[in-house]
Amino acid sequence: MLVLIILFTVIGFIVGLVKGFSKTKTWAIEFVLSTLLSMAVGALTRGLIKDATGAAIAGILTIISAIAFMLIIMLLARFVRNIINKHLDKRKEEGQKGGGLGVFNRVMGGFSLAFKGFVMSCILVLSVSTVIDLIQIESLKNAFLGVYESAGWLAIKPHIFDFVIVGILFMAVCHGFESGIINSLWSLVVLGLVVGAGFASYNLAFNTPAFAGAGEALGGKLAQAMGGSEMMANMGTTLAKVLITIGLFILFAILIAIIAKFVPRILNFVRTGKTFYVVDGVIGAIVSVIVVLAILLFIGSLIEPLYGMEFMLVFDSYFDKCLIANFIYTDNILLAFGMPSIIPIKNWLS
Protein backbone atom coordinates (compact mmCIF):
# COMPACT_ATOMS: atom_id res chain seq x y z
CA MET A 1 0.00 0.00 0.00
CA LEU A 2 2.78 2.42 0.96
CA VAL A 3 4.68 1.58 -2.24
CA LEU A 4 1.57 2.43 -4.29
CA ILE A 5 1.16 5.79 -2.55
CA ILE A 6 4.85 6.68 -3.02
CA LEU A 7 4.75 5.61 -6.69
CA PHE A 8 1.68 7.76 -7.47
CA THR A 9 3.23 10.72 -5.64
CA VAL A 10 6.58 10.51 -7.49
CA ILE A 11 4.90 10.10 -10.90
CA GLY A 12 2.65 13.08 -10.14
CA PHE A 13 5.66 15.23 -9.18
CA ILE A 14 7.51 14.41 -12.41
CA VAL A 15 4.46 15.08 -14.61
CA GLY A 16 3.76 18.31 -12.73
CA LEU A 17 7.29 19.58 -13.30
CA VAL A 18 6.79 19.07 -17.04
CA LYS A 19 3.30 20.63 -17.24
CA GLY A 20 3.60 23.46 -14.74
CA PHE A 21 1.03 24.69 -12.24
CA SER A 22 -0.79 26.83 -14.81
CA LYS A 23 -1.72 23.72 -16.82
CA THR A 24 -2.71 21.41 -13.96
CA LYS A 25 -6.07 20.78 -12.35
CA THR A 26 -5.92 21.40 -8.61
CA TRP A 27 -9.05 19.50 -7.52
CA ALA A 28 -7.07 17.41 -5.00
CA ILE A 29 -5.83 20.50 -3.15
CA GLU A 30 -9.29 22.07 -3.28
CA PHE A 31 -10.98 18.90 -2.05
CA VAL A 32 -8.61 18.20 0.86
CA LEU A 33 -8.39 21.83 2.00
CA SER A 34 -12.16 22.34 1.93
CA THR A 35 -12.65 19.07 3.84
CA LEU A 36 -10.11 19.94 6.54
CA LEU A 37 -11.50 23.45 6.97
CA SER A 38 -15.05 22.06 7.13
CA MET A 39 -13.95 19.53 9.74
CA ALA A 40 -12.54 22.41 11.79
CA VAL A 41 -15.93 24.13 11.63
CA GLY A 42 -17.59 20.82 12.54
CA ALA A 43 -15.32 20.54 15.58
CA LEU A 44 -16.18 24.10 16.64
CA THR A 45 -19.93 23.49 16.29
CA ARG A 46 -19.81 20.10 18.01
CA GLY A 47 -20.56 21.78 21.35
CA LEU A 48 -23.94 22.83 19.98
CA ILE A 49 -25.10 19.22 19.64
CA LYS A 50 -26.99 19.00 22.93
CA ASP A 51 -30.49 18.65 21.52
CA ALA A 52 -32.21 18.41 18.12
CA THR A 53 -32.19 22.18 17.59
CA GLY A 54 -28.48 22.42 18.38
CA ALA A 55 -27.71 19.52 16.03
CA ALA A 56 -29.69 21.16 13.23
CA ILE A 57 -27.90 24.50 13.65
CA ALA A 58 -24.47 22.84 13.88
CA GLY A 59 -25.20 20.76 10.79
CA ILE A 60 -26.36 23.72 8.73
CA LEU A 61 -23.32 25.81 9.70
CA THR A 62 -20.92 22.96 8.88
CA ILE A 63 -22.50 22.10 5.51
CA ILE A 64 -22.74 25.75 4.43
CA SER A 65 -19.11 26.33 5.42
CA ALA A 66 -18.04 23.27 3.41
CA ILE A 67 -19.76 24.59 0.28
CA ALA A 68 -18.37 28.10 0.84
CA PHE A 69 -14.82 26.79 1.29
CA MET A 70 -15.11 24.77 -1.92
CA LEU A 71 -16.26 27.74 -3.99
CA ILE A 72 -13.69 30.13 -2.49
CA ILE A 73 -10.74 27.76 -2.92
CA MET A 74 -11.81 26.80 -6.46
CA LEU A 75 -12.08 30.45 -7.50
CA LEU A 76 -8.73 31.30 -5.85
CA ALA A 77 -7.01 28.42 -7.67
CA ARG A 78 -8.47 29.58 -11.00
CA PHE A 79 -7.41 33.17 -10.22
CA VAL A 80 -3.80 32.14 -9.49
CA ARG A 81 -3.61 30.00 -12.65
CA ASN A 82 -4.99 32.85 -14.76
CA ILE A 83 -2.43 35.30 -13.36
CA ILE A 84 0.47 32.90 -14.02
CA ASN A 85 -0.78 32.18 -17.55
CA LYS A 86 -1.23 35.89 -18.27
CA HIS A 87 2.33 36.80 -17.20
CA LEU A 88 3.91 33.79 -18.95
CA ASP A 89 2.07 34.64 -22.18
CA LYS A 90 3.22 38.25 -21.90
CA ARG A 91 6.87 37.18 -21.46
CA LYS A 92 6.52 34.81 -24.42
CA GLU A 93 5.15 37.62 -26.62
CA GLU A 94 8.12 39.74 -25.63
CA GLY A 95 10.49 36.93 -26.63
CA GLN A 96 11.58 36.24 -23.06
CA LYS A 97 11.79 32.93 -21.25
CA GLY A 98 9.74 32.10 -18.19
CA GLY A 99 12.42 33.26 -15.78
CA GLY A 100 11.76 33.03 -12.05
CA LEU A 101 8.01 32.83 -12.64
CA GLY A 102 8.55 29.89 -15.00
CA VAL A 103 10.61 28.06 -12.37
CA PHE A 104 7.97 28.80 -9.74
CA ASN A 105 5.28 27.55 -12.12
CA ARG A 106 7.13 24.26 -12.73
CA VAL A 107 7.91 23.63 -9.06
CA MET A 108 4.36 24.40 -7.95
CA GLY A 109 3.08 22.16 -10.73
CA GLY A 110 5.27 19.36 -9.41
CA PHE A 111 4.00 19.75 -5.86
CA SER A 112 0.41 20.11 -7.07
CA LEU A 113 0.40 16.88 -9.10
CA ALA A 114 2.47 15.07 -6.45
CA PHE A 115 -0.27 15.91 -3.97
CA LYS A 116 -2.91 14.81 -6.48
CA GLY A 117 -1.12 11.48 -6.92
CA PHE A 118 -0.92 11.10 -3.15
CA VAL A 119 -4.64 11.85 -2.74
CA MET A 120 -5.69 9.53 -5.59
CA SER A 121 -3.65 6.63 -4.20
CA CYS A 122 -5.01 7.26 -0.69
CA ILE A 123 -8.58 7.28 -2.04
CA LEU A 124 -7.93 3.93 -3.73
CA VAL A 125 -6.31 2.36 -0.66
CA LEU A 126 -8.88 3.69 1.81
CA SER A 127 -11.81 2.73 -0.41
CA VAL A 128 -10.63 -0.88 -0.69
CA SER A 129 -9.80 -1.07 3.03
CA THR A 130 -13.17 0.38 4.06
CA VAL A 131 -15.17 -1.94 1.82
CA ILE A 132 -13.28 -5.00 3.08
CA ASP A 133 -13.85 -3.91 6.68
CA LEU A 134 -17.58 -3.34 6.11
CA ILE A 135 -18.34 -6.59 4.24
CA GLN A 136 -16.78 -8.56 7.14
CA ILE A 137 -15.18 -11.39 5.14
CA GLU A 138 -12.72 -12.72 7.72
CA SER A 139 -10.08 -14.00 5.30
CA LEU A 140 -9.90 -10.67 3.46
CA LYS A 141 -9.88 -8.71 6.70
CA ASN A 142 -7.00 -10.80 8.04
CA ALA A 143 -5.05 -10.02 4.87
CA PHE A 144 -5.45 -6.30 5.65
CA LEU A 145 -4.82 -6.69 9.37
CA GLY A 146 -1.60 -4.71 9.13
CA VAL A 147 -3.52 -1.78 7.64
CA TYR A 148 -6.26 -1.88 10.30
CA GLU A 149 -3.71 -1.93 13.12
CA SER A 150 -1.60 0.90 11.71
CA ALA A 151 -1.55 4.35 13.30
CA GLY A 152 -2.53 5.93 9.98
CA TRP A 153 -5.74 3.88 9.69
CA LEU A 154 -6.71 4.51 13.32
CA ALA A 155 -6.23 8.24 12.76
CA ILE A 156 -8.13 8.49 9.47
CA LYS A 157 -10.94 5.95 10.09
CA PRO A 158 -13.15 8.32 12.17
CA HIS A 159 -13.08 10.85 9.33
CA ILE A 160 -13.30 8.65 6.21
CA PHE A 161 -16.99 9.41 5.73
CA ASP A 162 -16.32 13.11 6.33
CA PHE A 163 -14.14 12.98 3.22
CA VAL A 164 -16.77 10.88 1.41
CA ILE A 165 -19.58 13.37 2.06
CA VAL A 166 -17.45 16.41 1.20
CA GLY A 167 -16.19 14.53 -1.88
CA ILE A 168 -19.75 13.98 -3.11
CA LEU A 169 -20.61 17.63 -2.48
CA PHE A 170 -17.34 18.65 -4.14
CA MET A 171 -18.25 16.71 -7.29
CA ALA A 172 -21.68 18.36 -7.23
CA VAL A 173 -20.02 21.80 -6.96
CA CYS A 174 -17.60 21.06 -9.83
CA HIS A 175 -20.33 19.64 -12.06
CA GLY A 176 -22.70 22.48 -11.26
CA PHE A 177 -20.02 25.13 -11.81
CA GLU A 178 -18.88 23.69 -15.14
CA SER A 179 -22.43 23.09 -16.40
CA GLY A 180 -23.94 26.27 -14.99
CA ILE A 181 -27.56 26.87 -14.11
CA ILE A 182 -28.51 27.37 -17.77
CA ASN A 183 -27.33 23.89 -18.78
CA SER A 184 -28.95 22.40 -15.67
CA LEU A 185 -32.27 24.04 -16.56
CA TRP A 186 -31.86 22.79 -20.13
CA SER A 187 -31.41 19.25 -18.78
CA LEU A 188 -34.75 19.62 -16.97
CA VAL A 189 -36.31 20.90 -20.20
CA VAL A 190 -35.00 17.83 -22.07
CA LEU A 191 -36.42 15.57 -19.36
CA GLY A 192 -39.75 17.38 -19.68
CA LEU A 193 -39.66 16.94 -23.47
CA VAL A 194 -39.06 13.18 -23.07
CA VAL A 195 -41.96 12.83 -20.62
CA GLY A 196 -44.14 15.00 -22.85
CA ALA A 197 -43.20 12.90 -25.88
CA GLY A 198 -44.30 9.77 -24.05
CA PHE A 199 -47.65 11.29 -23.10
CA ALA A 200 -48.21 12.76 -26.58
CA SER A 201 -47.41 9.41 -28.23
CA TYR A 202 -49.90 7.59 -25.99
CA ASN A 203 -52.58 10.22 -26.50
CA LEU A 204 -52.20 10.23 -30.29
CA ALA A 205 -52.35 6.44 -30.57
CA PHE A 206 -55.16 5.77 -28.09
CA ASN A 207 -57.35 8.90 -28.02
CA THR A 208 -57.27 10.68 -31.38
CA PRO A 209 -59.42 9.76 -34.41
CA ALA A 210 -56.50 10.38 -36.76
CA PHE A 211 -54.76 7.17 -35.68
CA ALA A 212 -57.93 5.15 -34.98
CA GLY A 213 -58.12 3.77 -38.53
CA ALA A 214 -54.45 2.86 -38.60
CA GLY A 215 -54.79 1.13 -35.22
CA GLU A 216 -57.81 -0.90 -36.30
CA ALA A 217 -56.19 -1.90 -39.60
CA LEU A 218 -52.96 -3.03 -37.96
CA GLY A 219 -54.96 -4.64 -35.14
CA GLY A 220 -56.98 -6.67 -37.65
CA LYS A 221 -53.84 -8.05 -39.25
CA LEU A 222 -52.36 -8.90 -35.88
CA ALA A 223 -55.62 -10.60 -34.85
CA GLN A 224 -55.57 -12.78 -37.97
CA ALA A 225 -51.99 -13.73 -37.23
CA MET A 226 -53.02 -14.70 -33.66
CA GLY A 227 -56.05 -16.79 -34.60
CA GLY A 228 -58.82 -14.45 -35.78
CA SER A 229 -61.20 -14.77 -32.80
CA GLU A 230 -63.06 -11.79 -31.30
CA MET A 231 -60.83 -11.84 -28.21
CA MET A 232 -57.76 -11.82 -30.44
CA ALA A 233 -59.24 -8.92 -32.41
CA ASN A 234 -59.51 -6.82 -29.23
CA MET A 235 -56.01 -7.82 -28.17
CA GLY A 236 -54.73 -7.08 -31.67
CA THR A 237 -56.20 -3.56 -31.65
CA THR A 238 -54.67 -2.81 -28.24
CA LEU A 239 -51.30 -4.24 -29.28
CA ALA A 240 -51.44 -2.21 -32.48
CA LYS A 241 -51.99 1.00 -30.52
CA VAL A 242 -49.09 0.10 -28.25
CA LEU A 243 -46.85 -0.42 -31.28
CA ILE A 244 -47.97 2.90 -32.77
CA THR A 245 -47.24 4.58 -29.42
CA ILE A 246 -43.72 3.12 -29.40
CA GLY A 247 -43.16 4.16 -33.03
CA LEU A 248 -44.30 7.73 -32.39
CA PHE A 249 -42.19 7.94 -29.24
CA ILE A 250 -39.09 6.81 -31.18
CA LEU A 251 -39.69 9.53 -33.78
CA PHE A 252 -40.16 12.16 -31.08
CA ALA A 253 -37.06 10.87 -29.26
CA ILE A 254 -34.93 11.24 -32.39
CA LEU A 255 -36.10 14.84 -32.77
CA ILE A 256 -35.42 15.56 -29.07
CA ALA A 257 -31.96 13.97 -29.34
CA ILE A 258 -31.08 16.27 -32.26
CA ILE A 259 -32.28 19.32 -30.33
CA ALA A 260 -30.49 18.18 -27.15
CA LYS A 261 -27.23 17.82 -29.05
CA PHE A 262 -27.09 21.27 -30.61
CA VAL A 263 -28.75 23.57 -28.05
CA PRO A 264 -25.96 23.05 -25.41
CA ARG A 265 -23.45 24.37 -27.95
CA ILE A 266 -25.46 27.58 -28.22
CA LEU A 267 -25.69 27.78 -24.42
CA ASN A 268 -21.91 27.28 -24.08
CA PHE A 269 -21.40 30.10 -26.58
CA VAL A 270 -23.58 32.34 -24.40
CA ARG A 271 -21.38 31.46 -21.38
CA THR A 272 -18.16 32.65 -23.04
CA GLY A 273 -18.28 35.97 -21.15
CA LYS A 274 -16.13 35.65 -17.99
CA THR A 275 -18.52 37.47 -15.65
CA PHE A 276 -21.55 35.60 -16.93
CA TYR A 277 -19.62 32.32 -16.78
CA VAL A 278 -18.68 32.81 -13.11
CA VAL A 279 -22.17 33.96 -12.02
CA ASP A 280 -23.88 31.19 -13.99
CA GLY A 281 -21.38 28.64 -12.64
CA VAL A 282 -21.80 29.69 -8.99
CA ILE A 283 -25.61 29.53 -9.24
CA GLY A 284 -25.36 26.16 -11.01
CA ALA A 285 -23.04 24.85 -8.29
CA ILE A 286 -25.41 25.96 -5.53
CA VAL A 287 -28.43 24.35 -7.19
CA SER A 288 -26.50 21.14 -7.87
CA VAL A 289 -25.35 20.96 -4.24
CA ILE A 290 -28.88 21.56 -2.93
CA VAL A 291 -30.21 18.63 -4.99
CA VAL A 292 -27.38 16.27 -4.00
CA LEU A 293 -27.54 17.32 -0.34
CA ALA A 294 -31.29 16.76 -0.25
CA ILE A 295 -30.78 13.22 -1.57
CA LEU A 296 -28.03 12.50 0.98
CA LEU A 297 -30.11 13.84 3.87
CA PHE A 298 -33.15 11.84 2.76
CA ILE A 299 -31.13 8.61 2.56
CA GLY A 300 -29.58 9.41 5.95
CA SER A 301 -33.01 9.96 7.49
CA LEU A 302 -34.08 6.52 6.28
CA ILE A 303 -31.15 4.64 7.83
CA GLU A 304 -30.68 6.77 10.96
CA PRO A 305 -33.20 4.67 12.95
CA LEU A 306 -30.91 1.66 12.39
CA TYR A 307 -28.09 3.28 14.38
CA GLY A 308 -26.99 0.99 17.23
CA MET A 309 -28.49 -2.21 15.83
CA GLU A 310 -26.18 -5.22 15.90
CA PHE A 311 -25.70 -5.59 12.15
CA MET A 312 -24.87 -1.85 11.89
CA LEU A 313 -22.18 -1.74 14.61
CA VAL A 314 -19.21 -1.93 12.23
CA PHE A 315 -20.68 0.80 10.02
CA ASP A 316 -21.60 2.90 13.06
CA SER A 317 -18.01 2.78 14.33
CA TYR A 318 -17.00 5.03 11.43
CA PHE A 319 -19.27 7.80 12.73
CA ASP A 320 -18.24 7.89 16.41
CA LYS A 321 -15.98 10.92 15.93
CA CYS A 322 -17.25 12.27 12.60
CA LEU A 323 -17.37 16.03 12.24
CA ILE A 324 -19.37 16.34 8.99
CA ALA A 325 -20.89 12.99 7.97
CA ASN A 326 -22.67 12.68 11.33
CA PHE A 327 -25.08 15.42 10.18
CA ILE A 328 -26.16 13.10 7.37
CA TYR A 329 -26.54 9.96 9.50
CA THR A 330 -26.38 9.99 13.31
CA ASP A 331 -27.42 13.66 13.73
CA ASN A 332 -29.47 13.89 10.54
CA ILE A 333 -30.50 17.48 9.90
CA LEU A 334 -33.96 16.59 8.55
CA LEU A 335 -34.80 14.48 11.60
CA ALA A 336 -33.38 17.20 13.86
CA PHE A 337 -35.95 19.56 12.36
CA GLY A 338 -38.68 17.08 13.32
CA MET A 339 -39.30 15.34 10.01
CA PRO A 340 -40.99 11.99 10.77
CA SER A 341 -39.48 8.74 9.49
CA ILE A 342 -41.27 7.95 6.23
CA ILE A 343 -40.37 4.26 6.09
CA PRO A 344 -40.48 2.28 9.38
CA ILE A 345 -37.37 0.34 8.39
CA LYS A 346 -36.34 -0.30 12.01
CA ASN A 347 -39.66 -2.05 12.72
CA TRP A 348 -39.16 -4.25 9.69
CA LEU A 349 -35.64 -5.32 10.69
CA SER A 350 -36.02 -5.66 14.46
Side-chain angles (χ1 to χ4, degrees):
M1 297 293 185
L2 184 60
V3 173
L4 179 67
I5 293 173
I6 294 173
L7 179 63
F8 271 57
T9 304
V10 171
I11 292 174
F13 183 75
I14 295 171
V15 174
L17 284 176
V18 175
K19 295 183 67 174
F21 182 78
S22 62
K23 296 181 180 178
T24 62
K25 293 184 178 180
T26 55
W27 64 262
I29 298 173
E30 297 159 11
F31 164 54
V32 173
L33 273 180
S34 57
T35 304
L36 293 176
L37 291 171
S38 305
M39 286 169 60
V41 174
L44 291 173
T45 60
R46 199 170 183 83
L48 298 173
I49 310 175
K50 297 176 181 179
D51 53 23
T53 303
I57 294 172
I60 291 172
L61 290 174
T62 304
I63 296 298
I64 289 177
S65 67
I67 297 166
F69 287 136
M70 291 176 203
L71 291 172
I72 292 170
I73 296 171
M74 284 172 62
L75 291 174
L76 282 175
R78 285 173 179 265
F79 179 70
V80 171
R81 282 199 300 270
N82 288 337
I83 289 178
I84 293 175
N85 276 324
K86 182 179 179 180
H87 284 81
L88 287 176
D89 290 342
K90 185 178 179 180
R91 292 181 67 87
K92 188 175 180 180
E93 289 174 1
E94 295 173 351
Q96 299 178 358
K97 293 185 178 180
L101 181 62
V103 174
F104 174 79
N105 182 44
R106 299 285 184 181
V107 173
M108 287 301 296
F111 282 115
S112 175
L113 285 195
F115 188 72
K116 181 186 287 187
F118 173 78
V119 171
M120 290 176 63
S121 58
C122 285
I123 290 173
L124 178 61
V125 170
L126 291 174
S127 298
V128 173
S129 301
T130 302
V131 169
I132 290 174
D133 186 35
L134 290 175
I135 61 177
Q136 292 291 291
I137 297 177
E138 204 62 32
S139 58
L140 284 175
K141 193 168 182 178
N142 289 335
F144 279 72
L145 199 59
V147 174
Y148 298 132
E149 292 178 349
S150 66
W153 172 260
L154 295 176
I156 194 65
K157 179 183 176 181
H159 304 294
I160 285 176
F161 279 92
D162 287 336
F163 281 93
V164 170
I165 294 301
V166 175
I168 293 172
L169 295 177
F170 184 80
M171 288 188 288
V173 167
C174 292
H175 174 74
F177 190 87
E178 292 299 329
S179 298
I181 187 63
I182 290 181
N183 281 318
S184 299
L185 291 175
W186 172 244
S187 299
L188 293 177
V189 171
V190 171
L191 179 61
L193 288 174
V194 172
V195 174
F199 176 77
S201 301
Y202 170 82
N203 187 65
L204 286 171
F206 281 84
N207 299 324
T208 58
F211 285 88
E216 291 177 1
L218 179 59
K221 294 179 180 178
L222 291 173
Q224 290 179 359
M226 292 186 294
S229 65
E230 184 177 349
M231 183 180 70
M232 292 298 178
N234 293 331
M235 288 179 60
T237 301
T238 302
L239 181 59
K241 291 181 178 180
V242 170
L243 292 175
I244 291 173
T245 300
I246 294 172
L248 289 171
F249 181 77
I250 291 173
L251 292 175
F252 285 136
I254 293 172
L255 180 61
I256 292 170
I258 294 172
I259 296 173
K261 181 175 179 61
F262 290 102
V263 169
R265 296 185 180 181
I266 299 174
L267 297 178
N268 289 333
F269 177 76
V270 173
R271 297 181 76 224
T272 52
K274 289 184 178 180
T275 303
F276 185 87
Y277 176 85
V278 172
V279 173
D280 182 56
V282 170
I283 297 174
I286 293 171
V287 172
S288 178
V289 166
I290 290 173
V291 172
V292 171
L293 184 59
I295 295 172
L296 289 173
L297 288 172
F298 178 73
I299 295 173
S301 70
L302 294 181
I303 65 173
E304 190 275 342
L306 301 180
Y307 179 75
M309 296 186 72
E310 185 177 357
F311 63 87
M312 293 289 286
L313 292 179
V314 176
F315 181 70
D316 292 346
S317 66
Y318 284 81
F319 292 83
D320 289 341
K321 297 180 181 178
C322 269
L323 299 170
I324 302 170
N326 54 305
F327 297 114
I328 303 296
Y329 178 37
T330 56
D331 299 300
N332 184 272
I333 296 174
L334 295 181
L335 297 180
F337 273 116
M339 188 191 84
S341 296
I342 298 175
I343 302 175
I345 189 169
K346 187 173 183 178
N347 294 334
W348 298 347
L349 300 176
S350 62

